[in-house]
Amino acid sequence: MVLRVATGFDARFLAKSTLFRNPISRLVMEAFGSIPIYRAHESGARGGDASRNDASLARCRAELAAGGAMALFPEGVSHSDPQLRPLKTGAARIALSTEAEHGGRLGVTLVPVGLYYERKALFRSSVLLVVGEPIDVAPLLADYRRDERQTVEALTETIDARLDEVVLQAESRDLLAGIARVARWTSDEGSHDLAAQHQRARDLADAYARLRARDPARVESIAAEVRAYTRVLRQMGVRDPWALELAPLRPGALAAAFAKLIVAAPLAAIGAVMGWIPYRLAGEVAKRITRDEDVLGTAKLFAGVAFLAAAWGLEATAAGFAWGAGWAAPTFLIGVATGYVALRFEELRREAAEAWRLVVLRAFHHQTTQRLAERRRALADAVASGLRDADAAPM
């Protein structure tokens, strides 16, 4: 969905065939025009029947020939691992075979894309779409006609290299999360520019790998300080240490945060009453549909829309019978509006609580906030020094 919204292309996705078995997940897949791919270990008795994949790949080629866009995970699976898995050759085969079928006239282009989330599990979290250098397929046709297998493998290696340039990777999830945190903490003046944070995180990941090979003790020392600093921030309820160093929060801004919370509370309560059961039901149904973490969010979205719309419709119908037909439409609209406020309420509560916590820390724990700021600056200096030394190190 992020890809479609950000690029404006109605890209069709390749999806594993098991997602088409359940009626609800099938509805989700078909809503995005997804094309099923059959994998032997998931396809039951017909796992060895290649004809079904031949038909799916033919649909991919037809879509590209018609000027459409395809989106696929070249690793053969969507996942949340901290590193790319070995790539399959499917993307290269589809691109090369499509271009070859039309004599190199289509201009098929492969575009590597990566997603960088500010906080992936958070509702309404910011996300950065990182677009890499495109790969033109037509110039490879001569090699493809001479040696299909070798050309496919070479293109797959090129795709892998281009993805490495746009996807932030690390050895473990903890290390990946730590690099992202340090990138935020040590950026210039607490910049919230995700593009700048992503680039700095990439620089840090590269420097970490190079410096660890030369001076592991130094890297471990910086990592230990990051872990200790993280624990202190967590104990104090501070998510963004930059907030302790920037200009103090204006009283008007604090009052506005609490005013929003007070105004939203009764509306959120109404929304919760009207939508809590279908909202919870949607989550449970989505979990039964798929255990795939990356598909789960989409399944919850579609199930939530369906169940909430049905619930609001029933409530509107009941209101029409109880108070007259004129109440039906307003009741439905109230359900939609207050449901959105209920979703936003936790976000508003968290913002108000963090604002109040920062005010209290500044007012009553001034020395503590100063020490935290000094530790952040010392950490930033250590990281900057490590970056310089890693850049100066021979490759």
Side-chain angles (χ1 to χ4, degrees):
M1 186 176 292
V2 172
L3 182 65
R4 283 187 162 204
V5 172
T7 64
F9 288 107
D10 291 332
R12 301 184 66 179
F13 284 79
L14 292 184
K16 58 185 179 181
S17 61
T18 52
L19 294 174
F20 290 80
R21 292 178 182 172
N22 184 287
I24 297 179
S25 61
R26 184 185 186 91
L27 179 65
V28 174
M29 294 298 104
E30 290 180 347
F32 286 97
S34 300
I35 297 174
I37 289 294
Y38 301 89
R39 298 189 291 198
H41 68 283
E42 297 172 341
S43 301
R46 292 190 65 196
D49 185 356
S51 62
R52 294 185 296 173
N53 270 340
D54 288 343
S56 293
L57 297 179
R59 290 173 63 186
C60 294
R61 290 192 290 269
E63 180 70 18
L64 292 175
M70 296 296 307
L72 67 156
F73 301 93
E75 299 152 282
V77 63
S78 62
H79 62 85
S80 294
D81 293 351
Q83 291 181 311
L84 289 172
R85 296 182 184 180
L87 267 57
K88 308 293 185 182
T89 58
R93 290 185 184 279
I94 292 170
L96 285 165
S97 62
T98 303
E99 194 66 61
E101 279 186 2
H102 295 82
R105 296 185 300 273
L106 286 181
V108 174
T109 303
L110 294 168
V111 182
V113 172
L115 294 178
Y116 179 72
Y117 291 89
E118 184 178 33
R119 298 177 70 186
K120 187 174 182 179
L122 182 67
F123 176 58
R124 282 168 33 89
S125 173
S126 297
V127 60
L128 174 71
L129 186 77
V130 188
V131 180
E133 185 180 351
I135 306 168
D136 292 328
V137 175
L140 304 175
L141 284 188
D143 292 337
Y144 180 67
R145 292 189 178 106
R146 281 194 300 269
D147 191 331
E148 178 178 324
R149 180 177 178 179
Q150 184 176 350
T151 306
V152 166
E153 291 177 351
L155 179 55
T156 301
E157 291 177 2
T158 301
I159 295 171
D160 195 8
R162 299 288 171 86
L163 283 173
D164 279 339
E165 296 172 0
V166 298
V167 178
L168 182 63
Q169 302 177 73
E171 295 172 357
S172 67
R173 291 190 181 188
D174 288 342
L175 178 57
L176 189 62
I179 288 172
R181 281 196 299 270
V182 172
R184 290 195 299 272
W185 295 345
T186 62
S187 60
D188 295 334
E189 297 183 1
S191 171
H192 291 283
D193 182 350
L194 274 187
Q197 288 182 18
H198 176 264
Q199 184 56 53
R200 184 166 182 80
R202 279 189 52 79
D203 293 341
L204 288 173
D206 292 342
Y208 172 86
R210 294 199 301 272
L211 199 58
R212 190 182 63 171
R214 293 177 56 243
D215 194 347
R218 182 180 179 186
V219 169
E220 178 53 35
S221 175
I222 296 174
E225 173 58 19
V226 170
R227 290 191 292 269
Y229 189 55
T230 301
R231 285 195 297 270
V232 172
L233 292 178
R234 188 176 294 122
Q235 290 167 1
M236 300 189 68
V238 176
R239 186 173 67 86
D240 182 9
W242 267 108
L244 299 172
E245 300 179 51
L246 301 178
L249 190 68
R250 299 189 307 276
L254 181 63
F258 276 94
K260 289 180 184 178
L261 195 64
I262 292 170
V263 170
L267 298 175
I270 294 171
V273 170
M274 295 183 70
W276 188 84
I277 292 177
Y279 177 79
R280 298 297 300 177
L281 184 61
E284 292 303 316
V285 169
K287 290 176 185 176
R288 292 179 180 275
I289 291 172
T290 178
R291 296 183 182 276
D292 189 322
E293 183 179 335
D294 291 299
V295 177
L296 183 61
T298 303
K300 283 183 178 180
L301 173 64
F302 277 81
V305 169
F307 290 158
L308 285 169
W312 294 329
L314 289 173
E315 290 161 354
T317 302
F321 277 115
W323 303 316
W327 279 93
T331 299
F332 186 88
L333 294 176
I334 287 171
V336 175
T338 57
Y340 176 73
V341 174
L343 284 175
R344 285 288 315 276
F345 186 76
E346 176 58 24
E347 183 180 341
L348 295 172
R349 186 204 64 77
R350 187 171 54 251
E351 290 174 354
E354 188 164 354
W356 176 250
R357 193 177 299 115
L358 291 174
V359 168
V360 171
L361 284 173
R362 286 175 178 274
F364 302 104
H365 303 280
H366 182 65
Q367 290 186 342
T368 300
T369 58
Q370 278 191 325
R371 287 196 294 271
L372 282 174
E374 290 169 0
R375 285 186 72 174
R376 190 207 62 77
R377 287 192 288 269
L379 178 61
D381 289 342
V383 168
S385 175
L387 281 172
R388 286 193 301 271
D389 291 349
D391 289 339
M395 300 297 289

